[in-house]
Amino acid sequence: MATPLSAAVFLARLRAEGVKVQEHGDWPHHNRNSKGAWGPVHGVMIHHTVTKGSARTVDICRKGYADLPGPLCHGVITKDGTVHLIGYGRANHAGLGDDDVLRAVIGDKVVPGDNEANTDGNRHFYGFECENLGDGEDPWPAAQMEAIEKAAAAICRHHGWTERSVIGHLEWQPGKVDPRGFTMASMRARIQERLDTKTSDTPAKPAAPKPLPKPQKPTVDLSKLVAAARSNPKASGTPVTYSGVRIVETALVNAGLLAKVYSDGHFGSATVDAYARWQRRLGYSGSAADGIPGKTSLTKLGAKYGFQVIA
Ligand SMILES: [Zn+2]
């Protein structure tokens, strides 16, 4: 169930689906609204015209016949694949059909056979008349088939309907045979394929922003850190510099174990003392709290203050 599209949006949707459109006369206001309701809309109905010649076909569908005034549909789909807009609103195309079919269309179900003519279809269906003699021999050119597929898909896409909302007149009103020359099942399969795999070229809704990648935790290499700690000025040899020292010192500052002034990138005696305090905080004592990082104590420091340990 849906409110009918405005004529302007109807036109825009067809174009966005890639339909070649030609407008005729004051099509947005040519309708039978004075004779009955238009909407809510539930589906799209496909017909054949039993006419020959595009210009004549369009003209007949606009004006209708003495006992069936036009418009006879909303769009006439000629053999060259053009959709001619001739009317908008209530149009004389569907006539009375089967309420069970309408319920199936509304419920997005496979339509049952039509055996009743008790429901006003002109109120509830968009209609496309397709230029064809309807004798089962007159060919349906590829361009015309594609235009049917696109026009129906454009409307389904807008209303959020599936291909099951597209039916043939023969599925609606007992005695009707149109469209003849292809099956509605095959056309629905094409529409389904289009809805599933293609997007109209209307600007899509902006995609949801991608979640930012989780910031990678900095890593500290245990063996390099230990080498730096063991080369501190109290020990012999040249101090080993390692970028991971600064990461560990920052953690020790954050833990309240090292004065910020000693966070200088060198695993000096102040850092060794601070690390020993961390070890004691973890329950180590004696030589186990010597200020030289071990895997367990360093992993715990990293877990709490945001770095990963590579051992
Ligand atoms: Zn028909």
Side-chain angles (χ1 to χ4, degrees):
M1 164 156 169
T3 303
L5 293 172
S6 70
V9 173
F10 182 72
L11 173 62
R13 279 292 176 175
L14 292 175
R15 287 199 168 129
E17 199 71 38
V19 174
K20 200 174 120 204
V21 176
Q22 197 174 320
E23 300 178 73
H24 294 265
D26 186 22
W27 71 271
H29 302 107
H30 184 37
N31 56 53
R32 302 285 297 163
N33 291 2
S34 63
K35 300 295 176 186
W38 164 235
V41 283
H42 300 300
V44 180
M45 197 173 292
I46 307 299
H47 306 260
H48 67 220
T49 53
V50 198
T51 57
K52 196 174 173 66
S54 298
R56 184 172 164 264
T57 297
V58 170
D59 194 52
I60 289 172
C61 290
R62 275 188 72 198
K63 293 174 183 159
Y65 303 98
D67 55 348
L68 190 67
L72 301 184
C73 61
H74 304 111
V76 179
I77 303 178
T78 46
K79 285 187 181 278
D80 64 348
T82 303
V83 177
H84 300 262
L85 300 184
I86 56 151
Y88 202 70
R90 186 181 174 87
N92 273 333
H93 70 98
L96 293 177
D98 193 323
D99 59 338
D100 297 318
V101 172
L102 185 62
R103 268 192 289 278
V105 168
I106 293 170
D108 197 24
K109 297 192 172 76
V110 175
V111 291
D114 51 330
N115 55 17
E116 290 175 289
N118 56 11
T119 302
D120 175 14
N122 295 334
R123 173 178 185 174
H124 298 303
F125 287 90
Y126 297 95
F128 291 97
E129 285 282 358
C130 306
E131 177 192 358
N132 191 278
L133 289 174
D135 57 5
E137 289 176 21
D138 191 13
W140 291 85
Q144 189 180 26
M145 293 294 280
E146 191 177 313
I148 298 169
E149 171 195 320
K150 286 180 174 177
I155 295 167
C156 290
R157 201 189 292 285
H158 179 93
H159 286 304
W161 296 338
T162 73
E163 78 286 353
R164 286 181 172 174
S165 294
V166 184
I167 64 173
H169 200 189
L170 77 172
E171 292 171 304
W172 172 247
Q173 192 175 52
K176 291 291 175 183
V177 298
D178 61 322
R180 191 167 171 206
F182 63 90
T183 65
M184 282 308 297
S186 68
M187 180 50 70
R188 278 191 285 268
R190 291 179 61 148
I191 293 164
Q192 179 186 25
E193 166 92 10
R194 168 167 287 271
L195 291 172
D196 285 353
T197 60
K198 294 191 172 66
T199 50
S200 76
D201 56 13
T202 344
K205 280 185 214 150
K210 276 188 193 159
L212 291 169
K214 250 185 164 178
Q216 284 282 306
K217 284 182 181 176
T219 54
V220 174
D221 186 310
L222 179 64
S223 58
K224 288 182 184 170
L225 186 71
V226 168
R230 290 203 191 283
S231 74
N232 81 71
K234 279 203 288 189
S236 57
T238 318
V240 174
T241 57
Y242 169 52
S243 60
V245 172
R246 194 174 285 280
I247 295 166
V248 173
E249 285 181 329
T250 300
L252 292 169
V253 169
N254 290 336
L257 299 168
L258 177 67
K260 202 167 184 177
V261 65
Y262 295 117
S263 176
D264 54 7
H266 295 283
F267 215 113
S269 55
T271 308
V272 169
D273 290 346
Y275 201 87
R277 283 193 282 276
W278 172 245
Q279 289 167 321
R280 285 197 291 276
R281 189 182 280 185
L282 294 176
Y284 296 105
S285 60
S287 63
D290 59 358
I292 304 299
K295 188 181 174 184
T296 304
S297 63
L298 188 66
T299 301
K300 286 182 175 172
L301 186 68
K304 195 158 183 188
Y305 296 101
F307 63 85
Q308 280 182 309
V309 177
I310 307 169

